[in-house]
Amino acid sequence: MSNETTSVSPITYVQEQHFALVGLNSAPVNALSKAVRVGIIESVEKALSDDKVKAIVLHSHLPLFSAGADISEFSGGDLSPTLPEVLEVIERSTKPVIAIVGGNAFGGGLELALSCHYRITHAKNKVGLPEVHLGILPGAGGTQRLPRLTDLKTALDMIVTGTPTPVTALGNVFDLIVDSAEDLQGAAMNFANDVVEKDMPVKRVCDIDLAMSDDIETLFAQYSQGVAAKSTGFFAPGQCVLAVKSAFTHDFKSGLARETELFMECMTTSQARAQQHFFFAERAASHVQGIARDVKARDIKQVAVIGAGTMGGGIAMNFANAGIPVIMLELQQEALDKGLALIRRNYENSAKKGKLTSEQVEQRMTLLTGTTSYGDLSDVDLVIEAVFEKMSVKKEVFGMLDEVCKPGAILASNTSTLDLNEIAASISRPQDVIGLHFFSPANVMKLLEIVRGEKTSDEVIKTAMKLAKIIRKVGVLVGVCFGFVGNRMIEPYGREANRLMLEGATPEQVDRVIGKFGLPMGPFTMGDMAGLDIGYFVRESRREFIAHDPSYCIVADKLVAQGRVGLKVGKGAYLYEQGSRQPIPDPDVIEMAKQEAKRLGIQQREISDQEILERCIYPLINEGADILKEGIAAKSSDIDVIYVYGYGFPVFRGGPMQFADEIGLKQIRDRMNYYKETLGEYGQHWFTPSPLLNDLADAGQMFASVK
Ligand code: NAD
């Protein structure tokens, strides 16, 4: 498209032959801000009043068509003209409007295209309506126009799941799909010429009639059931289905009104606030304050992983998946072979599921080599150590790395609990040491806690943040403390779950309450899956901090002493039938808790679901407040990202800190104090509100206000 413009960006307007060429030009993503909306209306009006113009061509100057609404406007302000108003102007235009959708059109961007009279794209393009991820629904006619152009199931899938969809799978949404992006421009202008020369009609989607039938009614009923099962706890998906249904039960205009009603019902929920908070939180996590712009990330072309066990294997796969060669080091050839064979099995399983081709499996395996000799690591740019969780072993490994690695190589540890500063201080280049705390399974979990040591250089931090993106992780920068952010906060959660069992709750009850709150599994199921021995070893390493509480995870300790370490042996807090992961409540465990309670003088009682929820979640939030105060996390939204991606905290609650902000910090503080007073000595030990929580509660502020 020509760049000669007669109006100011973010919308360009060029009159050429019979056409008004209207260009979206609002970097970086053509968000449909007020300025863009005003510009579109002005352009359409100008074209309508110009006799030379026979058709309007809407196109984008950027690689993508438009990413949709400007969500920074969600918090309010003068939004006029609204997007639905703009789209009505386009749709009502008496001159044909042709959209050239050269790149992705998402949300309002796709709705904009749907309001045009003709749409043209290329076969590799994808479009989508991702509003559901923000706790809302497409509110600019998407739920009414899309089902008029494509089959109902596809429309529902797109709107309810928010998944980007190939344009080739979209029925009549596009009037012309050319094979390649390069051909689009020419083909689109030929098409536009045809529209004018053949006097093709102004083809409005709103004029297409949709009618309800028994079959469609049945499809909606089945679909609704599926949505209820698949998106438990989420409000917006059900609203999406209702909105699409109204396209079949209402005429276009009242269908739009119904869509607006359902949209507004979503917009005012805590879920929409939470999901929109999370959208920004995730983006904000990658911005690290205090590192100068001119600090350059180092190149990472070759990686080494020390230890080919559970974590080492998964970590290595991330790099191979990103096309980066990895050398794996074990001391014994046998352990190395075992580790590499396991990786191959993992890839082959993915291939069986159709996620990889067999060539891709081989390509990735050729990127993975093994060694038992440190000498082979002399040229790597990054080493990630994932050996046994023991300080002496870690120091020995880092000592070797210090000897063999080239200057400037980044030396990272995957430790979960050990002091990174101590590891760094044991070698000659602490500035190159960083924690890269992957979560298990490391090739699957999206979270990467990037642990900044006292001496870690800015360059190393910047490299790690960049690397997280390359290996498709969400990197969050944290400071050094026991358990970093995630595991430090999970500690009081697990402690309370265990204590509640002594006080009379059952593992099943606790897990049910937490499941209903929205976590994928409760603390007892999670403990059994991870292995109760893991928590036990962590407690063993810090008995001096918990010795004052004889009740501390006492049942878990007893279970481990009996060899009941969880799912892997068929029994832990629950029983498991051979080959099954389904927990079965075990009366012996409940009896064990009863006996321990008696021994410790703890009165058992009936415990309400609300108390279970508050006692598991509020101390976790309280720990988060300390973490924030200590600067271990730079902002509360970083903690939320860690919890959603690392622990399955429900995104519709936005993460623990957003959840706290939503219900009010005074409420959290007051309930902490309530338990402090009512749980005797135990309450005094564990329920003191964090000073930051206290201060913010007194000031009527939120965690989000801590900068
Ligand atoms: P693992 O026991 O499965 O694997 C450790 C591997 O390291 C073994 O294959 C062992 O042979 C090898 N190894 C031990 N000493 C070595 C040495 N000196 N040189 C070379 N190789 C050596 O353990 P894992 O679960 O993979 O844990 C590894 C690290 O990752 C630990 O620091 C752990 O805290 C951390 N981590 C584990 C998890 C988890 O869920 N398992 C999660 C996050 C972090």
Side-chain angles (χ1 to χ4, degrees), residues 289-521:
Q289 295 281 315
I291 296 188
R293 272 176 163 264
D294 58 355
V295 170
K296 279 186 87 174
R298 295 181 192 167
D299 269 354
I300 304 295
K301 296 209 177 91
Q302 167 78 58
V303 174
V305 174
I306 317 291
T310 312
M311 294 306 288
I315 292 169
M317 286 172 79
N318 290 313
F319 290 95
N321 295 347
I324 300 174
V326 188
I327 307 176
M328 304 200 65
L329 184 141
E330 275 275 351
L331 294 181
Q332 306 295 330
Q333 187 64 41
E334 201 187 332
L336 188 59
D337 293 343
K338 202 170 136 201
L340 285 166
L342 183 61
I343 294 177
R344 174 173 280 283
R345 237 181 3 257
N346 275 334
Y347 278 137
E348 281 170 354
N349 283 338
S350 297
K352 270 187 210 141
K353 290 182 198 149
K355 292 183 189 161
L356 289 179
T357 61
S358 43
E359 293 85 67
Q360 283 171 320
V361 172
E362 294 315 316
Q363 263 166 16
R364 289 176 199 200
M365 287 309 296
T366 52
L367 290 171
L368 291 156
T369 50
T371 184
T372 52
S373 158
Y374 274 92
D376 290 338
L377 309 189
S378 59
D379 205 31
V380 300
D381 306 299
L382 164 72
V383 188
I384 304 173
E385 160 284 304
V387 302
F388 300 139
E389 186 74 343
K390 211 168 166 207
M391 184 54 90
S392 56
V393 185
K394 303 275 188 200
K395 281 188 180 167
E396 196 184 304
V397 169
F398 272 78
M400 293 299 291
L401 296 175
D402 200 9
E403 263 176 44
V404 301
C405 290
K406 66 183 181 190
I410 296 176
L411 309 180
S413 173
N414 181 45
T415 181
S416 313
T417 57
L418 300 174
D419 182 350
L420 186 81
N421 290 329
E422 190 180 334
I423 298 175
S426 72
I427 65 166
S428 70
R429 33 174 142 172
Q431 73 282 2
D432 290 328
V433 175
I434 194 163
L436 291 180
H437 186 216
F438 288 83
F439 285 66
S440 181
N443 54 320
V444 176
M445 296 292 287
K446 278 198 72 122
L447 178 64
L448 179 62
E449 278 185 331
I450 296 176
V451 189
R452 151 195 238 155
E454 248 165 31
K455 302 231 165 106
T456 311
S457 76
D458 284 357
E459 217 177 86
V460 170
I461 293 171
K462 199 154 192 180
T463 310
M465 295 298 294
K466 187 175 163 198
L467 195 65
K469 286 204 172 114
I470 294 173
I471 59 170
R472 308 183 82 168
K473 301 281 171 198
V474 178
V476 184
L477 187 63
V478 302
V480 176
C481 65
F482 186 85
F484 312 121
V485 171
N487 286 343
R488 175 166 157 188
M489 286 170 68
I490 209 76
E491 184 270 335
Y493 165 86
R495 179 195 73 220
E496 282 311 300
N498 275 276
R499 170 74 187 201
L500 283 160
M501 189 169 33
L502 288 179
E503 292 181 26
T506 62
E508 208 188 354
Q509 187 192 2
V510 175
D511 282 356
R512 178 177 51 72
V513 170
I514 295 299
K516 200 162 157 227
F517 178 71
L519 275 104
M521 63 182 91

Side-chain angles (χ1 to χ4, degrees), residues 605-625:
R605 62 194 163 94
E606 197 156 304
I607 301 181
S608 73
D609 288 358
Q610 184 62 21
E611 177 171 347
I612 290 175
L613 185 68
E614 289 178 354
R615 284 187 53 190
C616 289
I617 303 292
Y618 290 8
L620 176 150
I621 292 166
N622 197 51
E623 196 67 38

